[in-house]
Amino acid sequence: MHHVALERWSRGDSMLHQRDPRAKIVALAAFLMAVATADRGLPVLAGLLVVLLCGALRLARLPLRGTLARSALVLPFTLFFGAVCWAGGDAARGAALVLKSYLSALSVLLLVGTTPLPDLLRGMEALGAPRFLLMVAQFLYRYLFVICEEARQMAQAAASRGSTMSNFASGRARFVAAAGALAVLFTRSYSRAGEIHRAMLARAFPGHFRVLKSRRFRLADAAFLFLAGAVPIVLRMGVERFF
């Protein structure tokens, strides 16, 4: 898991990392509600919320530039719909769509970057999310690393044999080589997944992942939940009052 940035970020030990996942999930829900229902003075509110999230990123000791850049991955999709709104004569709605999508992505990335996914899914389960869907998410997440590891081993094997994409002169040859490598990757990943499945059956997998240690909801978690949930709502109400 060392080659996935979010996985490295979530293993930190800052104050935000130490908070209970349930408190962070509920605080995120309050933040998203404040963003989704914002109307008047949205640019001002968006600026204040970006400053608030940047402060949280600093507090969590996450790379500010890298987090802001990764949050911008949603912009190509929302910019398209924003352009459609602008072409339809509703530029304000298009701008609001872009701002709200970026704020939502940045806040979700802050949550994922400060909470390991197993802890996050356990927190969602404690809040009433369906266990079956969370189990599917756990398996998808774990098999993602299986595919990444197989791809890394294939890349190392190809590099040790002196094979690079520059060895292929034409674009068609590069496409054929990439397609063949992709087919081999999924074949190897499927075989590896079968081995993991048989190993789980041999160990009498009960149908859910056991928790090695349980978290207690402490006073610090309650204080964080109150503060993190109230600040975005207060900012939204204050901005709309003056605008």
Side-chain angles (χ1 to χ4, degrees), residues 9-24 27 52-53 55-62 110-111 113-116 215-216 218-229:
W9 295 355
S10 66
R11 302 295 175 177
D13 59 350
S14 70
M15 187 275 289
L16 287 180
H17 287 85
Q18 297 171 7
R19 298 284 64 80
D20 192 283
R22 291 166 290 184
K24 289 186 278 189
L52 177 65
L53 291 174
L57 290 173
R58 288 295 188 187
L59 183 62
R61 296 194 290 271
L62 297 182
L110 175 61
L111 172 64
T114 55
T115 314
R215 285 179 174 268
R216 295 180 57 187
R218 303 179 183 276
L219 180 61
D221 300 318
F224 166 79
L225 174 58
F226 175 78
L227 185 63

Side-chain angles (χ1 to χ4, degrees), residues 7 13-14 22 33 56 76 131 140 157 168 176 178 185 190 207 229 239:
E7 181 66 27
D13 59 350
S14 70
R22 291 166 290 184
M33 182 178 65
R131 173 176 288 185
L140 288 175
F168 301 96
V176 172
L185 171 63
Y190 183 81
V239 168

Side-chain angles (χ1 to χ4, degrees), residues 16-192:
L16 287 180
H17 287 85
Q18 297 171 7
R19 298 284 64 80
D20 192 283
R22 291 166 290 184
K24 289 186 278 189
I25 293 171
V26 176
L28 174 65
F31 182 90
L32 294 178
M33 182 178 65
V35 172
T37 57
D39 186 14
R40 292 178 298 175
L42 180 59
V44 177
L45 177 63
L48 294 175
L49 292 180
V50 167
V51 172
L52 177 65
L53 291 174
C54 289
L57 290 173
R58 288 295 188 187
L59 183 62
R61 296 194 290 271
L62 297 182
L64 183 60
R65 184 178 301 177
T67 309
L68 294 176
R70 284 174 170 81
S71 301
L73 292 177
V74 301
L75 292 181
F77 304 98
T78 55
L79 283 174
F80 171 77
F81 292 103
V84 171
C85 294
W86 177 79
D90 197 350
R93 177 175 295 182
L97 178 62
V98 173
L99 289 175
K100 290 182 179 182
S101 64
Y102 184 78
L103 286 170
S104 302
L106 184 57
S107 61
V108 171
L109 196 59
L110 175 61
L111 172 64
V112 177
T114 55
T115 314
L117 189 67
D119 294 341
L120 181 61
L121 294 178
R122 284 198 294 270
M124 295 175 66
E125 182 179 356
L127 292 173
R131 173 176 288 185
F132 175 75
L133 295 180
L134 299 179
M135 181 66 62
V136 172
Q138 284 250 34
F139 278 114
L140 288 175
Y141 178 73
R142 291 169 186 267
Y143 281 124
L144 172 64
F145 291 105
V146 173
I147 296 176
C148 291
E149 188 63 25
E150 292 292 341
R152 186 185 64 83
Q153 293 178 4
M154 288 177 59
Q156 287 181 346
S160 64
R161 292 171 174 81
S163 176
T164 60
M165 292 302 293
S166 60
N167 295 341
F168 301 96
S170 64
R172 177 180 175 81
R174 294 183 181 183
F175 177 79
V176 172
L182 187 62
V184 173
L185 171 63
F186 278 100
T187 301
R188 288 168 57 108
S189 302
Y190 183 81
S191 176
R192 179 73 179 278

